[in-house]
Amino acid sequence: VKGKVRSFSELLSFVGKDHFHHRLASQMGNKKLAVVFIFFLNIVFGLGTIALRNADFVVAFVLIIQTVVIFVLITLLEMGSKKRNRRAGDK
Protein backbone atom coordinates (compact mmCIF):
# COMPACT_ATOMS: atom_id res chain seq x y z
CA VAL A 1 0.00 0.00 0.00
CA LYS A 2 2.85 2.39 0.86
CA GLY A 3 4.86 1.40 -2.21
CA LYS A 4 7.73 -0.12 -0.23
CA VAL A 5 7.37 -3.55 -1.82
CA ARG A 6 7.68 -4.00 -5.56
CA SER A 7 7.93 -7.79 -5.95
CA PHE A 8 6.90 -11.02 -4.24
CA SER A 9 10.44 -11.72 -3.01
CA GLU A 10 10.60 -8.23 -1.44
CA LEU A 11 7.23 -8.96 0.19
CA LEU A 12 8.58 -12.14 1.81
CA SER A 13 11.53 -10.28 3.32
CA PHE A 14 9.47 -7.20 4.28
CA VAL A 15 6.47 -8.80 5.99
CA GLY A 16 6.71 -9.30 9.72
CA LYS A 17 9.56 -6.97 10.61
CA ASP A 18 7.33 -5.12 13.07
CA HIS A 19 6.24 -8.09 15.20
CA PHE A 20 6.75 -8.04 18.94
CA HIS A 21 9.62 -10.53 18.92
CA HIS A 22 11.48 -8.55 16.25
CA ARG A 23 11.11 -5.31 18.20
CA LEU A 24 12.11 -7.03 21.41
CA ALA A 25 15.22 -8.55 19.80
CA SER A 26 16.07 -5.13 18.39
CA GLN A 27 15.61 -3.50 21.79
CA MET A 28 17.61 -6.16 23.66
CA GLY A 29 20.22 -6.64 20.95
CA ASN A 30 19.97 -10.43 21.10
CA LYS A 31 17.42 -12.87 19.64
CA LYS A 32 18.04 -15.55 22.26
CA LEU A 33 17.55 -13.05 25.08
CA ALA A 34 14.26 -11.95 23.49
CA VAL A 35 13.07 -15.58 23.39
CA VAL A 36 14.03 -16.08 27.05
CA PHE A 37 12.17 -12.88 27.95
CA ILE A 38 9.01 -14.02 26.13
CA PHE A 39 9.30 -17.43 27.80
CA PHE A 40 9.62 -15.70 31.20
CA LEU A 41 6.52 -13.60 30.48
CA ASN A 42 4.56 -16.74 29.63
CA ILE A 43 5.62 -18.34 32.91
CA VAL A 44 4.65 -15.23 34.89
CA PHE A 45 1.24 -14.99 33.23
CA GLY A 46 0.65 -18.74 33.56
CA LEU A 47 1.48 -18.76 37.26
CA GLY A 48 -0.69 -15.68 37.75
CA THR A 49 -3.58 -17.43 36.06
CA ILE A 50 -3.18 -20.49 38.26
CA ALA A 51 -3.02 -18.29 41.37
CA LEU A 52 -6.07 -16.33 40.20
CA ARG A 53 -8.29 -19.43 40.26
CA ASN A 54 -8.37 -19.65 44.06
CA ALA A 55 -7.51 -16.08 45.00
CA ASP A 56 -9.53 -13.77 47.19
CA PHE A 57 -10.42 -10.27 45.99
CA VAL A 58 -7.23 -8.50 47.15
CA VAL A 59 -4.88 -11.08 45.63
CA ALA A 60 -6.90 -11.15 42.40
CA PHE A 61 -6.79 -7.35 42.21
CA VAL A 62 -3.01 -7.31 42.70
CA LEU A 63 -2.51 -9.98 40.02
CA ILE A 64 -4.65 -8.05 37.55
CA ILE A 65 -2.77 -4.81 38.30
CA GLN A 66 0.51 -6.69 37.81
CA THR A 67 -0.68 -7.91 34.40
CA VAL A 68 -1.76 -4.42 33.36
CA VAL A 69 1.61 -2.96 34.41
CA ILE A 70 3.48 -5.62 32.40
CA PHE A 71 1.34 -4.94 29.32
CA VAL A 72 1.92 -1.18 29.66
CA LEU A 73 5.68 -1.74 29.93
CA ILE A 74 5.65 -3.98 26.85
CA THR A 75 3.64 -1.37 24.95
CA LEU A 76 6.13 1.35 25.88
CA LEU A 77 8.99 -0.93 24.85
CA GLU A 78 7.37 -1.56 21.46
CA MET A 79 6.64 2.12 20.90
CA GLY A 80 10.25 3.04 21.68
CA SER A 81 11.57 0.36 19.36
CA LYS A 82 9.18 1.42 16.60
CA LYS A 83 10.31 5.05 16.85
CA ARG A 84 13.98 4.02 16.86
CA ASN A 85 13.47 1.83 13.77
CA ARG A 86 11.71 4.70 11.97
CA ARG A 87 14.57 7.09 12.78
CA ALA A 88 17.15 4.52 11.64
CA GLY A 89 15.24 4.08 8.37
CA ASP A 90 15.23 7.84 7.74
CA LYS A 91 19.02 8.09 7.86
Side-chain angles (χ1 to χ4, degrees), residues 31-47:
K31 290 179 183 179
K32 289 182 183 181
L33 189 59
V35 170
V36 169
F37 182 76
I38 292 170
F39 185 70
F40 175 73
L41 281 178
N42 283 318
I43 289 172
V44 168
F45 289 139
L47 290 174

Side-chain angles (χ1 to χ4, degrees), residues 16-42:
K17 298 294 183 184
D18 62 345
H19 291 278
F20 172 65
H21 61 279
H22 289 124
R23 291 185 189 149
L24 191 59
S26 168
Q27 188 79 12
M28 296 181 143
N30 187 338
K31 290 179 183 179
K32 289 182 183 181
L33 189 59
V35 170
V36 169
F37 182 76
I38 292 170
F39 185 70
F40 175 73
L41 281 178
N42 283 318

Side-chain angles (χ1 to χ4, degrees), residues 22-91:
H22 289 124
R23 291 185 189 149
L24 191 59
S26 168
Q27 188 79 12
M28 296 181 143
N30 187 338
K31 290 179 183 179
K32 289 182 183 181
L33 189 59
V35 170
V36 169
F37 182 76
I38 292 170
F39 185 70
F40 175 73
L41 281 178
N42 283 318
I43 289 172
V44 168
F45 289 139
L47 290 174
T49 303
I50 291 169
L52 197 56
R53 287 186 68 197
N54 299 320
D56 61 355
F57 177 77
V58 174
V59 174
F61 184 74
V62 170
L63 286 170
I64 291 171
I65 294 299
Q66 172 191 351
T67 303
V68 170
V69 168
I70 290 172
F71 276 117
V72 167
L73 291 174
I74 289 171
T75 302
L76 293 173
L77 179 70
E78 281 202 32
M79 288 171 46
S81 178
K82 195 178 215 182
K83 286 179 186 177
R84 187 176 318 123
N85 287 343
R86 254 192 249 136
R87 277 187 262 143
D90 292 341
K91 293 179 181 180

